[in-house]
């Protein structure tokens, strides 16, 4: 509970799924990334630069800005690709949800592993529509573009609110807050998960984990 | 040209100052995570643990307690197995001679070790007995589970311990001397610096309570709305309540945390339960789950039963032998605790409240001792006592009597018998004033069905009250029976309520930012859940389905505001509180001048005052620390006018502090012109001074910093309970007045049900089942005019109810599924018709309800 959650909903055609997802995820990550930290003596640090680039979408009348980091883009494309495949193969009515979760790690004492505590979760609910003819596609192209524009403004509004962000870490703790594996950019630690259809039950593993945790709890 | 050069030079120097990528780029200083307490993932669990550690008086006490619990478990199992398998009872009972050394003389002494079987025989016997092995394996698994849990808990609580020490700066040794309110104040204080909760910059008291009591609030609300199947109508036993720990555990398992429960995690209801769409399907699923859990209970029943019996045997046998009277003693039943609990009331607050009411309650229940039983008990005690006396005298004369077979047994049994009988014989010097006692009880327990007042001597009231306040023996018996009965309750009763439960959770769950999904009743919002008959008329917009019964919302709000004076309620609630306090204050003022007969505060305070028993309320309330000077002043007021005026101004300031919103100017004027109180009003002045000074001290200090001395905080919490008692009495008084004199359309459905079933037959004849004494209080005389009035009204209402039946058939099925009365299930049929004029509220009812039948 101790985390903010934002929900975005979009309806797109199946070939637009990955572009739409990338547009939204990249927009969020643009605002949740910093340049690389260079720590110095006396515990100070300077922040490297981050480039940004405009990306034009092929299937949507839309362009978005993303951090110009190939690695980050590759990671995004991979997750979104998996999501899209799962969505297409599910055979259901094409409802899915992809969520981008920002978390921080907390070191804990021996018997427990490190905790990953989320502080912000963005869930994007996707509804895949199928269109009959080319004319509808054209309309959809524009409409989805407009919708995505609105969502981007939404995202920026949320991010502009003065709310909790993890504090800037010292050198030893930087891995607990930021993802330092990338060469050119340093986003907050994030995790992308997806879920196909609005299946009522959660997965078996989470249920089991909860069961064990519950029995252990007082 | 030279001019151009200089321009160029300047540019170059500026370039030198900040070369790209050089050392002088913007430099940041990391804040780092200074504390490990920021952004705690599971705040629910965290606050619960903080509370638990506080209640268990620190880490060491808790650790020891848990270790002993583990040891106890091993001990119970080991002792049982040993007694069953390793003791040669023939030797113990001397049916067989000790055979290790054959003495010629019969003077050998049998020692305890003689009765033990040798180790190899013993272990062989255990090995052969499959049942014993089975039990031991189960106990072993259970114990290992407990052990793992214990280790896990210790690790968790170690963190909490360091939270106390490092963040709250409360050393463990001092923890027992801190009140929860102080700990809480510190938590709120450090939230600003540590940001434990990331949603809000500052936590409020209510946020913490919501998290600790999330599920308890749901349970209280469900009991309040009579949703849980814990009250039964039995053809032989009449109305009975069955609610045991096992049942409670199962309820919680089903609703809150078990596999597949309604809650996703500690803080949020599963999203599908929030939507009305597939409620029937969800109800079906819930009902199957309940069935499976019921079956599991049935299968585990023998094991649980054996455990309960063993545990009860080992824990109570010694107590019963030592003081058999304890079986005749009473305790607050589990149902009572749930029924009497406010929303957002922590365990220790509830327990201290109930404990304060204990004496008065047991005295009150003694009023209902059956005279028949007394006569029988007296005679049985006489016969048993005579035999006992003879045996004892014989023993004193010659102790060889003891060696005669069964003499010791007889003496013990007779002793127990006499003690039990004695507990049925009322004290000769006792004076019964049930009406007064009930008022005193009410001052502490805060909840009571309307019809009890004025009917304190009715056996009906007595039996109802005994459901809240049962015999310890009954409690133990119920616990023993629980494993057998629980599965059947789950399978046959709870399952039918699945749809109502689903509806309840959907309708009464709100998502609070920073606290997650909570029971909407726990918001204590008078507007949403207020009951018009409880002073929230005009403010409440709740339909009957949404109204909390018995004024729970209003009383809870008052209670919470009083126990947490620094809590800032929402605007509506502030208005309600200030209005109520203003009323209390106004009536106190008029009470000082003339003590009008229909003055509610006067009657309520008088009821405290006229309670002549020193052990009861006054003793609890008035015997405060010596700092309560104003009380002394008030008492001596009539003797010394100048002191009285001092006391008066004290009271004035106190009462001013009662309601900060009221115009204090008026008050001061009225008080400075106060004449020395009349002699008949002295007691009252004392009481008011006491109440006032209590609130005065509290509010005054609440304005100051939270880091109060420990003593003053203790004192403050005592005053808080006094203030709450007075407000509770006042609200009940007002509610009674309201429902009797003004049959508003909001209240009648409730009042009718109560009056028609209780007070009408009551009024026509002399109360029965009570050994009335000559000093029967005048209070009952005072009640009579009201009762007649009430009877009049109720009959009028019934007629009214009859005329409006025309619209009934449509509404009846709708409401028949909505549990409403706390106590009045038997008259629900009447109520369905009464609810018809409430059609205006139809829109507010959840739309799903219409489709119910």
């Amino acid at each position: 509970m101790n985390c903010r959650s934002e929900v975005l909903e979009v309806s797109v055609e199946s070939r637009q799924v990955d572009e739409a997802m990338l547009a939204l995820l990249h927009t969020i990550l643009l605002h949740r990334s910093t340049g690389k930290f260079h720590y110095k003596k006396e515990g100070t640090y300077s922040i490297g630069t981050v480039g940004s680039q405009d990306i034009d979408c092929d299937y949507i009348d839309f362009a978005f800005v993303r951090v110009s980091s190939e690695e980050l883009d590759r990671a995004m494309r991979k997750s979104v690709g998996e999501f899209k495949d799962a969505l297409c193969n599910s055979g259901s009515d094409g409802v899915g949800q992809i969520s981008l979760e920002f978390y921080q790690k907390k070191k804990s004492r021996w018997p427990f592993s490190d905790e990953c505590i989320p502080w912000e979760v963005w869930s994007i609910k996707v509804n895949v529509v199928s269109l009959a003819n080319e004319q509808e596609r054209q309309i959809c192209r524009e409409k989805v573009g407009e919708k995505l524009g609105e969502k981007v403004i939404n995202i920026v509004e949320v991010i502009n609110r003065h709310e909790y962000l993890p504090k800037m870490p010292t050198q030893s703790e930087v891995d607990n807050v930021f993802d330092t594996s990338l060469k050119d950019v340093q986003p907050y630690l994030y995790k992308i998960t997806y879920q196909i259809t609005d299946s009522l039950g959660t997965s078996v593993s989470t249920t089991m984990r909860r069961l064990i945790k519950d029995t252990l709890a007082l | 040209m030279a001019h151009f050069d200089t321009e160029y030079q300047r540019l170059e120097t500026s370039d030198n100052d900040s070369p790209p990528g050089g050392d002088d780029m913007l430099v940041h200083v990391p804040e780092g995570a200074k504390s490990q307490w920021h952004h705690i993932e599971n705040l629910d669990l965290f606050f619960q643990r903080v509370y638990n550690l506080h209640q268990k008086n620190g880490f060491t006490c808790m650790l020891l307690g848990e270790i002993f619990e583990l040891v106890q478990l091993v001990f119970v199992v080991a002792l049982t197995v040993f007694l069953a398998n390793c003791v040669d009872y023939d030797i113990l009972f001397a049916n067989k001679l000790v055979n290790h050394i054959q003495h010629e003389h019969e003077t050998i002494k049998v020692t305890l070790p003689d009765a033990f079987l040798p180790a190899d025989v013993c272990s062989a016997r255990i090995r052969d007995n499959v049942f014993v092995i089975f039990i031991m394996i189960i106990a072993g698994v259970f114990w290992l589970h407990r052990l793992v849990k214990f280790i896990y808990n210790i690790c968790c609580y170690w963190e909490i311990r360091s939270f106390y020490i490092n963040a709250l700066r409360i050393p463990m040794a001092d923890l027992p001397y801190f009140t929860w309110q102080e700990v809480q104040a510190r938590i709120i204080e450090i939230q600003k610096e540590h940001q434990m909760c990331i949603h809000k910059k500052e936590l409020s008291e209510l946020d913490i309570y919501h998290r600790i009591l999330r599920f308890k609030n749901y349970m209280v609300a469900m009991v309040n709305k009579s949703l849980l199947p814990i009250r039964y109508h039995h053809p032989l036993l009449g109305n009975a309540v069955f609610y045991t720990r096992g049942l409670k555990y199962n309820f919680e398992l089903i609703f809150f945390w078990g596999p597949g429960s309604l809650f996703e995690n500690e803080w949020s209801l599963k999203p599908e339960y929030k939507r009305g769409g597939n409620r029937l399907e969800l109800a079906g699923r819930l009902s199957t789950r309940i069935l499976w859990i019921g079956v599991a209970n049935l299968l585990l029943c023998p094991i649980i039963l054996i455990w309960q019996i063993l545990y009860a045997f080992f824990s109570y046998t010694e107590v019963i032998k030592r003081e058999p009277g304890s079986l005749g003693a009473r305790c607050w039943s589990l149902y009572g605790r749930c029924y009497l609990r406010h929303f957002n009331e922590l365990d220790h607050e509830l327990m201290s409240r109930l404990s304060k009411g204990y004496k008065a309650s047991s005295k009150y229940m003694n009023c209902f001792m059956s005279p028949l039983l007394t006569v029988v008990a007296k005679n049985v005690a006489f016969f048993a006592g005579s035999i006992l006396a003879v045996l004892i005298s014989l023993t004193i004369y010659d102790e060889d009597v003891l060696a005669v077979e069964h003499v010791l047994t007889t003496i013990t049994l007779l002793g127990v018998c006499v003690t039990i009988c004695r507990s049925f014989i009322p004290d000769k010097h006792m004076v019964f004033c049930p009406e007064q006692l009930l008022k005193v009880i009410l001052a502490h327990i805060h909840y009571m069905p309307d019809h009890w007042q004025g009917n304190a001597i009715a056996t009906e009231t007595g039996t109802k009250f005994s459901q809240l306040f049962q015999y310890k023996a009954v409690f133990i018996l119920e616990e023993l029976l629980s494993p057998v009965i629980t599965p059947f309750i789950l399978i046959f009763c709870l399952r039918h309520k699945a749809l109502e439960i689903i509806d309840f959770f959907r309708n009464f769950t709100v998502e609070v930012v920073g606290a997650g999904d909570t029971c909407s009743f726990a918001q204590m919002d008078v507007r949403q859940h207020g009951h018009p008959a409880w002073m929230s008329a005009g403010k409440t917009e709740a339909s009957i389905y949404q109204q909390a019964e018995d004024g729970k919302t209003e009383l809870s709000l008052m209670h919470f505001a009083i126990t947490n004076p620094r809590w800032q309620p929402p605007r509506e609630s502030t208005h309600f509180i200030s209005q109520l306090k203003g009323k209390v204050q106004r009536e106190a003022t008029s009470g000082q001048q003339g003590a009008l007969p229909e003055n509610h505060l006067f009657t309520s305070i008088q009821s405290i005052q006229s309670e002549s028993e020193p052990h009861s309320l006054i003793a609890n309330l008035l015997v405060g620390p010596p700092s309560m000077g104003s009380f002394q002043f008030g008492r001596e007021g009539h003797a010394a006018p100048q002191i009285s005026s001092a006391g008066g101004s004290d009271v004035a300031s106190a009462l001013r502090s009662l309601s900060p919103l009221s115009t204090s100017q008026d008050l001061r004027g009225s008080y400075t012109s106060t004449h020395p109180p009349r002699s008949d009003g002295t007691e009252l002045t004392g009481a008011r001074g006491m109440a006032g000074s209590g609130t005065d001290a509290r509010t005054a200090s609440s304005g100051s910093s939270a880091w109060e001395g420990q003593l003053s905080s203790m004192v403050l919490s005592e005053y808080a309970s006094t203030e709450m008692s007075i407000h509770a009495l006042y609200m009940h008084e007002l509610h009674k007045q309201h429902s009797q004199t003004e049959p508003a359309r909001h209240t009648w459905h409730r009042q009718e049900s109560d009056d028609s079933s209780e007070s009408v037959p009551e009024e026509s004849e002399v109360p029965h089942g009570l050994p009335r004494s000559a000093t029967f209080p005048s209070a009952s005389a005072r009640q009579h005019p009201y009762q007649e009035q009430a009877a009049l009204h109720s009959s009028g209402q019934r007629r009214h109810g009859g005329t409006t039946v025309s619209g009934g058939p449509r509404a009846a099925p709708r409401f028949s599924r909505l549990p409403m009365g706390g106590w009045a299930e038997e008259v629900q049929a009447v109520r369905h018709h009464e609810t018809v004029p409430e059609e205006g509220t139809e829109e507010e009812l959840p739309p799903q309800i219409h489709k119910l039948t």
Side-chain angles (χ1 to χ4, degrees):
Chain A
M1 174 60 218
N2 211 355
C3 89
R4 293 190 296 272
S5 65
E6 310 289 342
V7 181
L8 305 169
E9 271 183 68
V10 285
S11 304
V12 291
E13 214 196 337
S14 64
R15 56 183 182 160
Q16 295 169 328
V17 168
D18 34 8
E19 278 184 344
M21 292 302 102
L22 279 177
L24 295 176
L25 293 178
H26 267 307
T27 308
I28 298 166
L29 274 172
L30 175 70
H31 297 280
R32 291 280 180 241
S33 303
T34 65
K36 297 289 280 183
F37 283 6
H38 301 285
Y39 283 94
K40 302 179 185 171
K41 288 162 282 186
E42 302 116 31
T44 58
Y45 63 93
S46 59
I47 303 178
T49 51
V50 183
S52 62
Q53 66 187 108
D54 282 16
I55 303 293
D56 285 320
C57 300
D58 294 334
Y59 300 106
I60 312 173
D61 278 348
F62 188 65
F64 62 91
V65 186
R66 69 166 171 82
V67 173
S68 63
S69 158
E70 284 309 313
E71 281 179 278
L72 189 64
D73 190 43
R74 230 176 292 136
M76 284 294 121
R77 280 183 192 281
K78 189 164 163 272
S79 324
V80 170
E82 282 172 18
F83 172 63
K84 193 195 172 187
D85 289 344
L87 199 61
C88 293
N89 297 336
S90 67
S92 66
D93 45 354
V95 180
Q97 175 179 322
I98 186 162
S99 34
L100 173 61
E101 176 182 311
F102 291 101
Y103 63 95
Q104 63 188 122
K105 280 193 223 161
K106 213 176 241 190
K107 293 255 179 290
S108 44
R109 211 167 267 105
W110 155 72
F112 311 106
S113 53
D114 285 0
E115 291 174 281
C116 295
I117 306 174
W119 50 271
E120 190 174 64
V121 178
W122 295 85
S123 314
I124 307 169
K125 286 188 176 155
V126 187
N127 189 15
V128 179
V129 291
S130 49
L131 299 172
N133 52 37
E134 196 55 39
Q135 198 191 353
E136 279 186 13
R137 287 214 175 100
Q138 277 304 326
I139 297 170
C140 180
R141 211 181 136 91
E142 286 169 27
K143 272 177 84 181
V144 169
E146 279 170 30
K147 266 269 141 52
L148 286 182
E150 278 172 32
K151 299 291 169 204
V152 167
I153 290 172
N154 273 355
I155 291 170
V156 175
E157 269 172 7
V158 169
I159 281 173
N160 271 339
R161 271 185 233 148
H162 206 71
E163 282 186 297
Y164 176 86
L165 285 178
K167 295 212 169 98
M168 287 304 150
T170 53
Q171 187 161 15
S172 56
E173 288 166 345
V174 71
D175 286 331
N176 293 343
V177 177
F178 288 105
D179 182 358
T180 48
S181 61
L182 305 177
K183 268 203 290 297
D184 39 9
V185 69
Q186 182 177 284
Y188 282 103
L189 280 173
Y190 69 92
K191 189 155 59 179
I192 295 181
T193 50
Y194 61 84
Q195 199 182 348
I196 303 303
T197 74
D198 54 347
S199 59
L200 297 178
T202 42
S203 66
V204 180
S205 70
T206 46
T207 317
M208 277 314 289
R209 215 180 318 137
R210 273 216 55 228
L211 203 62
I212 293 168
K213 243 189 161 170
D214 285 337
T215 41
L216 284 178
L218 194 67
Chain B
M1 292 308 261
H3 185 72
F4 273 100
D5 276 350
T6 48
E7 279 268 347
Y8 182 72
Q9 283 299 322
R10 253 169 69 192
L11 260 174
E12 209 174 36
T13 50
S14 74
D15 214 69
N16 274 338
D17 278 345
S18 59
D23 295 338
D24 296 327
M25 241 173 52
L26 198 56
V27 162
H28 304 262
V29 180
E31 305 155 85
K34 284 189 206 81
S35 76
Q36 48 173 326
W37 308 117
H38 73 284
H39 187 199
I40 288 156
E41 188 188 16
N42 193 340
L43 266 181
D44 276 46
L45 216 56
F46 183 75
F47 284 146
Q48 272 166 25
R49 283 178 183 150
V50 168
Y51 178 68
N52 279 342
L53 197 66
H54 175 259
Q55 288 307 301
K56 301 231 170 102
N57 296 319
F59 188 74
T60 326
C61 290
M62 197 175 138
L63 185 73
L64 266 184
E66 297 231 338
I67 290 176
F68 276 124
E69 244 173 65
L70 281 177
V71 173
Q72 213 178 41
L73 199 83
V74 177
F75 180 78
V76 166
V77 173
L79 186 66
T80 315
V81 170
F82 178 80
L83 287 181
N85 292 293
C86 301
V87 176
D88 193 342
Y89 287 95
D90 284 337
I91 293 182
L92 206 60
F93 301 147
N95 295 341
K96 193 167 82 177
L97 288 181
V98 182
N99 53 2
H100 54 111
I101 306 164
Q102 288 295 342
H103 276 272
E104 301 90 59
H105 311 292
E106 290 296 300
T107 54
I108 49 150
K109 283 202 186 285
V110 181
T111 55
L112 266 183
D114 290 333
F116 299 158
L117 291 173
D120 49 335
V121 180
C122 183
S123 56
R125 273 180 72 166
I126 292 175
R127 233 175 288 125
D128 294 342
N129 196 335
V130 185
F131 181 68
V132 170
I133 296 210
F134 175 67
I135 292 283
M136 278 171 80
I137 287 173
I138 286 187
V141 169
F142 183 62
W143 192 80
L144 276 180
H145 168 248
R146 288 281 295 264
L147 184 72
V148 172
K149 203 163 143 178
F150 165 75
I151 293 169
Y152 177 81
N153 272 333
I154 291 304
C155 296
C156 293
Y157 278 98
W158 186 259
E159 301 261 304
I160 303 295
R161 179 182 174 274
S162 55
F163 174 72
Y164 265 107
I165 294 172
N166 300 325
L168 297 182
R169 302 191 196 293
I170 300 176
M172 273 298 118
D174 292 350
L175 189 58
Y177 311 109
F178 277 81
T179 61
W180 170 248
Q181 307 304 333
E182 283 173 299
V183 173
Q184 191 174 267
R186 290 196 182 193
I187 292 176
I188 290 167
E189 193 72 21
I190 65 158
Q191 156 74 9
K192 289 171 197 152
E193 135 192 21
H194 292 268
Q195 272 230 314
M196 293 175 291
C197 174
I198 65 163
H199 287 276
K200 295 179 164 185
K201 281 267 179 312
E202 291 183 32
L203 281 173
S204 76
E205 285 89 351
L206 193 59
D207 290 334
I208 299 178
Y209 272 69
H210 271 332
R211 284 181 183 276
I212 297 178
L213 292 169
R214 192 186 304 273
F215 298 147
K216 293 223 168 101
N217 281 332
Y218 272 110
M219 292 301 273
V220 171
M222 279 195 274
V223 168
N224 184 258
K225 296 301 283 182
S226 315
L227 186 62
L228 295 178
I230 50 181
R231 303 173 54 77
Y232 306 94
H233 191 79
H234 191 271
L236 289 179
L237 301 171
N239 276 326
V241 168
F242 185 83
Y243 190 46
T244 58
R245 280 182 293 193
L247 198 57
K248 187 173 156 218
Y249 181 85
N250 273 295
F251 285 156
E252 285 168 355
L253 179 91
I254 289 166
F255 300 142
F256 303 129
W257 56 268
S261 64
L262 273 58
F263 273 75
E264 191 168 36
N265 41 36
E266 272 93 347
W267 51 80
S268 60
L269 194 65
K270 283 182 185 157
E272 65 261 31
Y273 289 96
K274 290 182 190 167
R275 291 193 297 266
N278 46 358
R279 51 196 279 280
L280 290 174
E281 183 203 334
L282 291 173
R285 279 214 329 245
L286 181 65
S287 141
T288 14
R289 263 194 64 230
I290 295 172
L291 178 66
W292 282 115
I293 289 179
V295 169
N297 261 290
L298 203 59
L299 292 180
L300 290 176
C301 159
I303 297 164
I304 307 172
L305 188 65
I306 289 173
W307 170 253
Q308 288 275 26
I309 290 173
L310 285 181
Y311 190 79
F313 179 78
F314 287 119
S315 33
Y316 296 117
T317 315
E318 190 268 340
V319 179
I320 291 169
K321 204 201 136 282
R322 190 156 35 88
E323 39 178 336
S326 68
L327 279 186
R330 288 177 176 269
C331 61
W332 294 100
S333 69
L334 213 55
Y335 168 72
R337 282 178 210 184
C338 227
Y339 172 77
L340 298 175
R341 193 175 194 140
H342 292 292
F343 294 121
N344 297 314
E345 184 174 34
L346 289 168
D347 290 342
H348 73 277
E349 292 165 353
L350 177 73
M351 281 331 287
S352 76
R353 199 153 67 82
L354 293 186
S355 308
K356 278 181 197 153
Y358 183 87
K359 263 224 160 93
S361 303
S362 51
K363 208 174 268 176
Y364 173 69
M365 285 317 287
N366 280 345
C367 302
F368 291 97
M369 217 162 266
S370 140
L372 190 76
L373 203 63
T374 309
V375 173
V376 174
K378 265 183 187 159
N379 286 292
V380 171
F382 171 75
F383 292 120
S386 332
I387 299 172
L388 185 67
V390 170
L391 284 178
I392 289 177
S393 345
L394 286 177
T395 315
I396 292 170
Y397 179 71
D398 188 348
E399 59 187 345
D400 281 340
V401 178
L402 280 181
V404 179
E405 198 175 26
H406 294 316
V407 164
L408 196 61
T409 325
T410 320
I411 289 180
T412 316
L413 284 183
L414 286 175
V416 170
C417 180
V418 168
T419 329
I420 290 176
C421 287
R422 206 171 293 149
S423 69
F424 288 110
I425 304 171
D427 187 1
K428 238 184 249 168
H429 310 292
M430 188 123 104
V431 174
F432 294 122
C433 1
E435 241 4 288
Q436 308 293 312
L437 275 172
L438 208 58
K439 272 256 162 61
V440 177
I441 295 169
L442 180 62
H444 291 301
I445 65 174
H446 300 173
Y447 291 103
M448 198 168 271
D450 306 337
H451 55 85
W452 285 12
Q453 288 201 28
N455 280 328
I457 29 225
T459 38
E460 180 73 27
T461 313
T463 40
K464 286 263 166 82
F465 189 69
S466 73
Q467 290 171 354
L468 305 179
F469 193 60
Q470 60 187 177
Y471 277 115
K472 186 102 188 154
V474 176
F475 173 77
I476 298 171
L477 194 70
E478 279 185 358
E479 286 297 326
L480 285 182
L481 287 178
S482 160
V484 184
I485 298 179
T486 301
F488 294 101
I489 290 180
L490 291 181
I491 294 173
F492 295 111
C493 300
L494 188 64
R495 227 148 56 84
H496 302 302
K497 300 236 176 187
L499 192 61
E500 283 167 67
I501 291 167
I502 296 283
D503 285 340
F504 178 89
F505 275 94
R506 188 182 62 252
N507 290 324
F508 297 121
T509 297
V510 285
E511 199 173 331
V512 181
V513 178
D517 290 339
T518 51
C519 183
S520 63
F521 285 106
Q523 294 291 106
M524 304 182 293
D525 188 350
V526 173
R527 199 162 52 87
Q528 270 187 351
H529 295 298
H531 198 297
W534 288 86
M535 305 173 55
S536 45
K539 295 187 200 70
T540 176
E541 295 166 7
S543 64
I544 296 174
Y545 180 55
Q546 290 167 331
Q547 287 164 4
E549 305 297 331
D550 300 310
K552 199 109 180 169
T553 316
E554 291 81 3
L555 281 162
S556 297
L557 178 64
M558 264 336 273
H559 179 260
F560 193 79
I562 286 173
T563 37
N564 298 286
R566 285 183 309 141
W567 174 59
Q568 306 236 306
R571 208 167 46 85
E572 285 281 331
S573 310
T574 318
H575 183 63
F576 176 81
I577 295 169
S578 61
Q579 197 185 16
L580 177 60
K581 285 189 170 176
K583 265 187 192 161
V584 172
Q585 171 191 343
R586 260 200 311 283
E587 305 226 345
T589 324
S590 59
Q592 183 159 23
Q593 254 94 43
L596 305 165
E598 61 271 326
N599 183 322
H600 316 304
L601 184 71
F602 178 73
T603 39
S604 57
I605 288 180
Q606 195 191 35
S607 73
I608 303 178
Q609 286 294 313
S610 54
E611 168 56 42
S612 52
E613 312 274 338
H615 298 302
S616 50
L617 190 66
I618 313 175
N620 293 340
L621 299 187
L622 298 194
V623 181
S627 65
M628 288 169 56
S630 70
F631 172 51
Q632 298 298 330
F633 281 140
R635 284 195 88 165
E636 290 152 14
H638 66 288
Q642 73 275 26
I643 299 179
S644 136
S645 69
S649 68
D650 211 43
V651 170
S653 67
L655 286 175
R656 242 194 344 270
S657 69
L658 265 171
S659 98
L661 297 184
S662 73
T663 50
S664 54
Q665 295 298 328
D666 294 356
L667 250 177
R668 200 173 298 142
S670 73
Y671 270 103
T672 40
S673 66
T674 297
H675 306 295
R678 297 172 191 175
S679 55
D680 61 343
T682 40
E683 290 278 299
L684 177 66
T685 321
R688 237 175 323 100
M690 172 273 306
S693 66
T695 42
D696 193 25
R698 285 181 54 249
T699 34
S701 67
S702 64
S704 66
S705 83
W707 314 87
E708 285 281 336
Q710 288 153 13
L711 177 73
S712 72
S713 152
M714 294 281 188
V715 171
L716 291 185
S717 72
E718 275 172 38
Y719 285 140
S721 79
T722 311
E723 194 185 346
M724 184 58 210
S725 296
I726 286 173
H727 277 95
L729 280 177
Y730 178 77
M731 286 170 83
H732 272 274
E733 198 70 34
L734 209 66
H735 169 65
K736 201 170 92 187
Q737 220 70 300
H738 179 95
S739 51
Q740 280 173 352
T741 58
E742 185 189 321
R745 69 178 190 89
H746 295 290
T747 55
W748 59 337
H749 67 275
R750 186 150 182 80
Q751 193 218 342
E752 158 108 336
S753 66
D754 298 327
D755 283 348
S756 59
S757 62
E758 304 299 335
S759 72
V760 175
E762 178 53 40
E763 188 219 14
S764 54
E765 57 177 330
V766 177
H768 44 278
L770 177 87
R772 289 182 118 177
S773 64
T775 54
F776 193 72
S778 56
S780 67
R782 204 182 64 220
Q783 306 290 347
H784 275 301
Y786 291 136
Q787 275 179 10
E788 278 159 27
Q789 211 175 358
L792 255 170
H793 282 307
S794 67
S795 60
Q797 282 154 22
R798 203 169 300 125
R799 216 171 39 241
H800 189 19
T803 53
T804 49
V805 172
S806 52
R810 195 165 64 84
R814 175 157 62 93
F815 283 100
S816 65
R817 298 302 296 263
L818 304 179
M820 278 172 291
W823 292 94
E825 278 155 300
E826 63 273 13
V827 285
Q828 241 176 9
V830 186
R831 278 189 175 189
H832 300 153
H833 304 295
E834 291 162 16
T835 50
V836 175
E838 295 265 351
E839 290 291 30
T841 60
E842 194 177 0
E843 290 80 29
E844 289 161 29
L845 280 166
Q848 290 78 22
I849 307 297
H850 294 278
K851 294 178 259 166
L852 264 173
T853 43

